[in-house]
Amino acid sequence: MDKKRFDNIVEDIKKIKIQGARNVARAALFAYTLIPTKASVQKLKSLRPTEPMLEKVLDLADKTPYKDILEHFDSAQNKINISVFKLINNKDTIFTHCHSTNVSNALIYAKKKGKRFQVFNTETRPLFQGRKTAEELRKAGIKVTMFVDSAIALAIEKENSKDKIFVNKVFIGADALLPNGIINKIGSGLIAELAHSHKIPLYIIADSWKFSKKKVPIEQRNLNEVWNRAPKNIKIQNPAFEFVKKKYISGIVTEFGLMDYDKFVKKMK
Ligand code: RUB
């Protein structure tokens, strides 16, 4: 019974039914409680190689009570929500990419506490995590406009805006927080460069448990996600994530509040 539940979680993580650093770490931790062995830790860690938080949680799992780890996820999110609330102004248009629980929850909190803003987001090919974001935010009463990924420049560049609605903040999540920058969903690097060139501040919204001093590999995903049964002589690449240099990051919001990226790294070291 536990084996079946464990295997189902493994499959859901592999297929991105469970996605995002926080959800993956949480689900893997639960799976570990079903079969708490070293082999489980190895198996679970291998599912998403770009996830320091997954590693951290599984390393803690045999010496820290399950509920204490869960408590961290919630208390960090609550503190992040309060800092993001202060960062949002009425009438903001906030751009986001993919689906990040840290970002979505903070936006929903701000809306519930009375902030009036709208969100632009990307569909996020090939697996369309942007639809999940759009649905969650819409359900919470936030106005959402979704763009195809290749319209990123049009969505962000002021001179392209027909309706004179300008993105004035970019919020993205993170899979890994590294000394020189962050890793997040593929496309994040381009978004960061665009935001920088248009002087739109880019904020990283992430739990500090995603920090790592180690080299973090970029996960390459199954090519069928991009083109199922593609002709044999066409090469396809499907990198899941991308590095964003710290020079593009205006600030990072973690459970320690809003900080300059270098200050955050100093604190973590
Ligand atoms: C998800 C993604 C998210 C981060 C942060 O990628 O890049 O922005 O994981 O998410 P994928 P969270 O869908 O491939 O897992 O805030 O939920 O930890």
Side-chain angles (χ1 to χ4, degrees):
M1 184 62 192
D2 281 352
K3 169 87 172 81
K4 195 164 171 8
R5 285 171 84 192
F6 180 94
D7 289 344
N8 285 342
I9 294 172
V10 165
E11 271 314 292
D12 286 352
I13 293 176
K14 262 195 206 158
K15 291 191 179 139
I16 317 286
K17 272 194 195 156
I18 297 172
Q19 63 75 234
R22 183 183 191 263
N23 294 337
V24 166
R26 251 184 117 120
L29 176 69
F30 176 68
Y32 174 82
T33 64
L34 298 172
I35 307 181
T37 64
K38 282 204 171 105
S40 297
V41 168
Q42 281 323 105
K43 170 95 207 158
L44 292 163
K45 279 186 183 176
S46 73
L47 296 173
R48 302 295 311 265
T50 317
E51 303 294 353
M53 194 186 209
L54 170 68
E55 269 202 52
K56 182 173 173 94
V57 158
L58 291 171
D59 289 342
L60 285 174
D62 68 335
K63 42 187 186 286
T64 313
Y66 177 59
K67 71 170 189 9
D68 288 4
I69 303 180
L70 285 188
E71 165 58 24
H72 166 84
F73 288 116
D74 293 340
S75 73
Q77 182 72 60
N78 291 340
K79 288 174 189 157
I80 287 171
N81 291 350
I82 290 163
S83 297
V84 171
F85 177 82
K86 290 184 202 147
L87 202 53
I88 297 177
N89 296 319
N90 285 331
K91 297 199 178 144
D92 273 354
T93 298
I94 298 162
F95 186 90
T96 192
H97 181 51
C98 195
H99 178 271
S100 153
T101 301
N102 284 152
V103 173
S104 277
N105 283 357
L107 291 173
I108 291 167
Y109 175 87
K111 171 74 187 174
K112 277 192 187 141
K113 293 280 169 191
K115 286 275 160 89
R116 282 173 284 111
F117 58 95
Q118 65 167 331
V119 171
F120 281 11
N121 86 321
T122 41
E123 58 176 356
T124 319
R125 278 274 296 153
L127 296 177
F128 301 105
Q129 293 94 325
R131 292 180 184 175
K132 184 176 176 187
T133 303
E135 280 184 321
E136 265 179 24
L137 299 184
R138 195 56 218 145
K139 227 182 250 167
I142 299 168
K143 187 178 170 203
V144 184
T145 307
M146 199 172 81
F147 293 80
V148 295
D149 297 327
S150 38
I152 288 175
L154 186 133
I156 289 182
E157 285 173 14
K158 294 187 178 174
E159 55 266 38
N160 284 336
S161 170
K162 270 196 230 132
D163 314 328
K164 302 278 173 258
I165 295 165
F166 305 137
V167 167
N168 63 333
K169 281 175 190 128
V170 178
F171 288 175
I172 56 172
D175 292 274
L177 304 171
L178 307 174
N180 293 326
I182 66 113
I183 295 176
N184 192 50
K185 178 56 56 190
I186 190 75
S188 299
L190 187 57
I191 290 167
E193 283 190 40
L194 268 168
H196 185 75
S197 72
H198 291 281
K199 299 193 170 53
I200 300 167
L202 165 77
Y203 296 99
I204 307 303
I205 316 291
D207 187 312
S208 77
W209 279 18
K210 295 169 179 174
F211 184 77
S212 176
K213 280 192 252 177
K214 288 197 281 186
K215 193 169 159 39
V216 175
I218 300 284
E219 176 186 355
Q220 302 294 323
R221 292 194 58 84
N222 196 320
L223 308 184
N224 292 344
E225 288 178 354
V226 179
W227 190 353
N228 198 11
R229 280 183 255 142
K232 282 206 173 60
N233 53 353
I234 297 175
K235 273 194 188 167
I236 295 173
Q237 290 204 15
N238 190 14
F241 299 109
E242 185 172 26
F243 181 68
V244 177
K245 293 178 193 151
K246 69 175 181 185
K247 72 170 180 185
Y248 295 134
I249 300 172
S250 312
I252 176 165
V253 178
T254 66
E255 65 273 30
F256 304 121
L258 169 62
M259 280 180 179
D260 175 76
Y261 198 76
D262 280 330
K263 255 200 189 141
F264 166 72
V265 171
K266 221 169 161 188
K267 184 170 179 64
M268 295 312 289
K269 280 180 172 169

